[in-house]
Amino acid sequence: MKVPYIPADAPFDGDQRAWLSGFLAGLHSRLAIDGDGSTPVAATPQQQSASPLHILYGTQTGNAEGVAMDAAAAARAAGMQPVVEPLDDIDMARFATMKRVIVVVSTYGEGEMPDNAQLFWEALSADSAPRLEAMNFGVLALGDTGYDGFCQAGKLIDTRLEQLGARRMATRLDCDVDYEDAASAWVGEAMPIAATIDGGQAEPAAPAEAMALPAREKSQWNRKSPYSSVITVNKRLSSAASAKEIRHFEFDLGDSGLVYEAGDALGVMPVNNPILVSAILERLGADKDAALPGLSRPLDQELTASFEISTPSRELIAEIERRAGHDELSHILRHGDKEALENWLWGKDSLDLLQLLPSGAMSAADFVGLLKPLQHRAYSISSSPLAAEGRVHLTIASVRYTTDGREHGGVCSTYLAERAEGEMVGIFVSQNKAFRVPSDDAAPVIMVGPGTGIAPFRAFLQERRARGASGRNWLFFGDQHRADDFIYEEELATMSSTGLLTRLDLAFSRDQSEKIYVQTRMRENGKALYAWLEEGGHFYVCGDATRMARDVDQALHDIVAAHGGHSADAATTYVNELKRQKRYVRDVY
Ligand SMILES: Cc1cc2nc3c(=O)[nH]c(=O)nc-3n(C[C@H](O)[C@H](O)[C@H](O)COP(=O)(O)OP(=O)(O)OC[C@H]3O[C@@H](n4cnc5c(N)ncnc54)[C@H](O)[C@@H]3O)c2cc1C
Ligand SMILES: NC(=O)c1ccc[n+]([C@@H]2O[C@H](COP(=O)([O-])OP(=O)(O)OC[C@H]3O[C@@H](n4cnc5c(N)ncnc54)[C@H](OP(=O)(O)O)[C@@H]3O)[C@@H](O)[C@H]2O)c1
Ligand SMILES: Cc1cc2nc3c(=O)[nH]c(=O)nc-3n(C[C@H](O)[C@H](O)[C@H](O)COP(=O)(O)O)c2cc1C
């Protein structure tokens, strides 16, 4: 079922009204609220005005926020007053007064809350969390079945709300990467139910900014309909001697009307490597021109453009294990040992798995049936539109490794590096509203971005220069070797000499016997760093999530404790307050 898009503050046109009233009438006649199981009747104006519908979202890259905005439009259409807020803006005292709540939340890291839901979850999961008997709720979870903790954040919140006495008004929906249609359908079903729930006593007023819903700016270019752009620049930044291949790309935006802001990410639709496609076809013993039921194009084209053939799906792994009788894999799967599975899979693509079976042992139809759709990859944009008019820049590390003597390449990074020149490459902007330069141009900015993590900070610096922002800028950057990996060195030198970059602290990890990382430099300069924070500084982190971002977070806590004279607990409170004020934000992956 496709729900038409209605901007949050848009007047409805005749078609939309007709569709909505028909849809809602149909649902009212077939939906029952939990509790007494009675068929709901349409909400009276008194009921509708009794309490707002709180639509709370937790997001890292904007998908959940987008769904929340669409839900707000549907709530208005159903006669409710929606209030949309990020989860971290909600304190427990206010949360406990809410009568009708929809939570839209993605999952990040390894089954974790997205950054802007972490403080909320900390409070909700604490023993001190209030009872929520007055609340009716529904949870819409966004995730990716490729991860172990599929939709874990949504599952945790859903379970906890029930534990605290809240009543579920809609069954939780767990959405995979293709979430749009399923989420729309869920919202369409949940809204009429929410509209029939008696809000009871009025709640304390929500903050004005949450009541005044901004229009959701929907670009015509999105994941399902990307803009076809050409790459105008593809140049290697790291030296030929570097262990890494980091490249700078520029995409032409032509007359697309595609807009972005410093801090946004670009979605890129990749194309698989034809060498891998051919090798897989050979292993399957399949004809490249074969037509499979349900697929519109010849097999080789489908494998090239439609399916994830590099990273093996869970379904493929399970089926290979079933057919191959591979002792080690069988042992790992039988014991559900996630870490052992991750280690065993590290560096293996679908072809490596197929090679565990005799050649031709799996039919092309079976193989394709076990694949996931090919997904876009996200890249933090490394330009400001104020400095790179009509273009968008990316800074990408090519993923390359060798397993069992065969060269493997990351799908998107090597497509862009080797095969995309002269091609039309599908792109779209993924907004990251939480990751922006401060609106106060005078505010100091501290940026921690080793490796490709420098990308959004190049954009920030360009943005601040173009705006003539007077605030000081401090960048922590590093990679393996200064001689080979100091990307954008000249630009940074110019930014330093012109005074734009007030401080540049470098950490080249492998130029000496002991590792020097960005957090080493942070600690060395802890006193000044704390002073910048005290002067209203904003602290940003971008790059590797699993190792760097965690260690940088620890260093930040330690610095606040050491230089602010705080206990460990007080340092955590201080850092949490930075998060609450949106002065500590991350773009980590
Ligand atoms: C919000 C966001 C912003 C991002 N910004 C950037 C950015 O600015 N620049 C950037 O370069 N990337 C960025 N990324 C990462 C990017 O999206 C891709 O994940 C990355 O380019 C790899 O994609 P790929 O298609 O080339 O590789 P894939 O085909 O997806 O393969 C990656 C997989 O290969 C395997 N692998 C990787 N290295 C090895 C190895 N050495 N040995 C064995 N196996 C290995 C791992 O299983 C890994 O998961 C960002 C990600 C997100 C979510
Ligand atoms: N999961 C992994 O094992 C792994 C490995 C590499 C890259 N990646 C992924 O690659 C992308 C980013 O790669 P990139 O090439 O831009 O940069 P990167 O691999 O993050 O390396 C940049 C710099 O960070 C250093 N570093 C390593 N561990 C660190 C830590 N705990 N704290 C601070 N700095 C640390 C590296 O040093 P050294 O390399 O000398 O230690 C290097 O000097 C991300 O997607 C990341 O998740 C993952
Ligand atoms: C680095 C990274 C880690 C992720 N981890 C998980 C995970 O553990 N479980 C899951 O279900 N989805 C995971 N996802 C998928 C996201 O939840 C999914 O893409 C979602 O649509 C993102 O929504 P958002 O833009 O609102 O954050 C991860 C995505 C990324 C990029």
Side-chain angles (χ1 to χ4, degrees):
M1 173 179 44
K2 184 90 186 124
V3 178
Y5 169 67
I6 305 162
D9 61 351
F12 299 132
D13 66 28
D15 283 353
Q16 287 165 335
R17 264 187 205 294
W19 179 88
L20 271 165
S21 54
F23 177 66
L24 297 181
L27 275 164
H28 276 289
S29 65
R30 70 190 161 85
L31 293 174
I33 318 176
D34 63 349
D36 67 5
S38 62
T39 304
V41 291
T44 65
Q46 287 80 2
Q47 283 172 331
Q48 289 167 0
S49 64
S51 64
L53 176 71
H54 295 273
I55 303 174
L56 311 178
Y57 63 88
T59 186
Q60 197 75 29
T61 53
N63 295 343
E65 183 181 2
V67 172
M69 289 303 188
D70 288 349
R76 276 219 174 126
M80 290 177 283
Q81 170 65 61
V83 176
V84 182
E85 289 177 274
L87 281 164
D88 271 3
D89 280 4
I90 311 298
D91 66 52
M92 283 298 122
R94 191 153 70 86
F95 191 54
T97 66
M98 294 180 184
K99 310 294 188 316
R100 300 188 284 190
V101 172
I102 297 287
V103 175
V104 187
V105 65
S106 66
T107 297
Y108 257 77
E110 292 160 9
E112 290 151 36
M113 296 286 154
D115 276 357
N116 78 340
Q118 284 174 4
L119 296 179
F120 169 82
W121 175 244
E122 219 171 86
L124 189 74
S125 55
D127 290 343
S128 56
R131 297 292 303 166
L132 300 171
E133 259 92 16
M135 183 182 288
N136 297 279
F137 75 96
V139 174
L140 177 49
L142 301 189
D144 179 343
T145 46
Y147 288 90
D148 273 339
F150 173 54
C151 285
Q152 184 66 13
K155 289 175 184 168
L156 288 171
I157 292 175
D158 185 63
T159 307
R160 183 64 176 152
L161 292 179
E162 184 181 43
Q163 278 172 359
L164 293 171
R167 291 196 321 152
R168 197 175 279 107
M169 60 180 170
T171 309
R172 189 190 70 244
L173 178 71
D174 298 334
C175 296
D176 204 349
V177 281
D178 280 322
Y179 64 89
E180 288 92 340
D181 291 348
S184 281
W186 186 91
V187 164
E189 299 211 0
M191 288 307 141
I193 301 175
T196 59
I197 285 169
D198 184 351
Q201 288 178 340
E203 299 169 16
E209 62 275 17
M211 302 288 289
L213 289 179
R216 182 176 176 202
E217 308 123 27
K218 266 206 173 173
S219 168
Q220 78 181 105
W221 309 114
N222 54 51
R223 206 162 61 85
K224 299 245 163 118
S225 164
Y227 171 64
S228 295
S229 171
V230 287
I231 295 179
T232 52
V233 176
N234 167 7
K235 84 174 173 212
R236 186 168 173 148
L237 296 172
S238 51
S239 86
S242 170
K244 296 187 161 185
E245 178 191 320
I246 301 186
R247 293 184 165 272
H248 174 83
F249 295 93
E250 296 187 12
F251 291 78
D252 185 17
L253 298 179
D255 58 4
S256 65
L258 195 147
V259 289
Y260 68 93
E261 286 185 53
D264 285 338
L266 193 75
V268 178
M269 311 303 296
V271 173
N272 283 312
N273 190 334
I275 296 174
L276 181 62
V277 171
S278 299
I280 287 176
L281 287 171
E282 194 184 329
R283 191 75 198 167
L284 294 168
D287 178 1
K288 75 178 179 55
D289 295 319
L292 294 189
L295 300 183
S296 55
R297 292 176 291 183
L299 182 55
D300 65 337
Q301 289 181 30
E302 292 285 357
L303 287 179
T304 304
S306 310
F307 293 101
E308 200 80 54
I309 58 170
S310 205
T311 304
S313 70
R314 280 161 200 283
E315 292 78 9
L316 179 68
I317 297 163
E319 185 59 19
I320 295 281
E321 185 276 328
R322 199 180 68 75
R323 295 189 187 199
H326 187 278
D327 288 345
E328 189 184 354
L329 181 57
S330 301
H331 180 83
I332 292 170
L333 291 184
R334 216 175 20 251
H335 289 83
D337 186 339
K338 288 180 193 166
E339 206 181 318
L341 182 61
E342 226 167 75
N343 289 337
W344 186 84
L345 280 173
W346 183 245
K348 292 188 176 66
D349 61 16
S350 297
L351 179 57
D352 292 308
L353 265 74
L354 275 179
Q355 283 168 342
L356 297 178
L357 301 178
S359 208
M362 184 178 273
S363 74
D366 283 357
F367 177 69
V368 168
L370 296 164
L371 300 179
K372 290 191 75 171
L374 186 56
Q375 293 299 321
H376 73 275
R377 270 44 171 184
Y379 295 99
S380 309
I381 293 174
S382 55
S383 54
S384 157
L386 302 180
E389 213 186 321
R391 293 208 176 173
V392 56
H393 299 184
L394 300 181
T395 308
I396 301 182
S398 305
V399 171
R400 298 182 192 281
Y401 55 94
T402 302
T403 306
D404 293 338
R406 180 166 63 86
E407 286 178 8
H408 293 51
V411 176
C412 193
S413 55
T414 60
Y415 162 63
L416 292 176
E418 297 162 4
R419 303 188 307 280
E421 245 162 286
E423 299 278 306
M424 304 306 281
V425 181
I427 59 169
F428 62 96
V429 170
S430 176
Q431 283 191 334
N432 190 351
K433 289 191 198 152
F435 206 77
R436 295 276 184 258
V437 293
S439 51
D440 174 5
D441 279 345
V445 158
I446 303 163
M447 298 162 281
V448 183
T452 51
I454 195 174
F457 302 137
R458 178 175 182 263
F460 277 20
L461 288 163
Q462 289 182 350
E463 178 89 6
R464 289 201 116 196
R465 180 172 53 198
R467 279 162 61 151
S470 61
R472 290 163 295 156
N473 299 301
W474 186 350
L475 175 67
F476 291 89
F477 170 73
D479 213 316
Q480 295 182 358
H481 297 289
R482 183 178 182 121
D484 302 316
D485 304 309
F486 193 174
I487 62 175
Y488 299 122
E489 178 174 4
E490 275 178 33
E491 284 184 22
L492 294 176
T494 305
M495 288 173 175
S496 293
S497 64
T498 57
L500 174 70
L501 201 45
T502 320
R503 295 192 65 155
L504 172 62
D505 279 283
L506 299 167
F508 290 100
S509 52
R510 304 190 190 188
D511 277 347
Q512 59 286 308
S513 53
E514 81 285 12
K515 291 275 188 188
I516 292 181
Y517 287 151
V518 280
Q519 63 272 22
T520 320
R521 300 300 186 213
M522 284 170 57
R523 288 177 194 281
E524 287 167 3
N525 295 284
K527 187 167 175 226
L529 199 155
Y530 182 73
W532 280 49
L533 292 176
E534 283 288 281
E535 289 154 21
H538 290 233
F539 187 80
Y540 300 89
V541 184
C542 180
D544 172 53
T546 42
R547 301 155 300 139
M548 181 275 295
R550 278 181 195 189
D551 294 349
V552 164
D553 183 73
Q554 185 58 54
L556 179 65
H557 280 82
D558 294 346
I559 287 166
V560 168
H563 298 282
H566 295 295
S567 66
D569 283 351
T572 300
T573 306
Y574 184 101
V575 172
N576 284 349
E577 189 51 31
L578 290 179
K579 289 183 189 167
R580 214 166 267 122
Q581 293 177 13
K582 320 271 188 267
R583 286 170 51 213
Y584 174 18
V585 282
R586 309 185 315 161
D587 172 18
V588 297
Y589 42 87

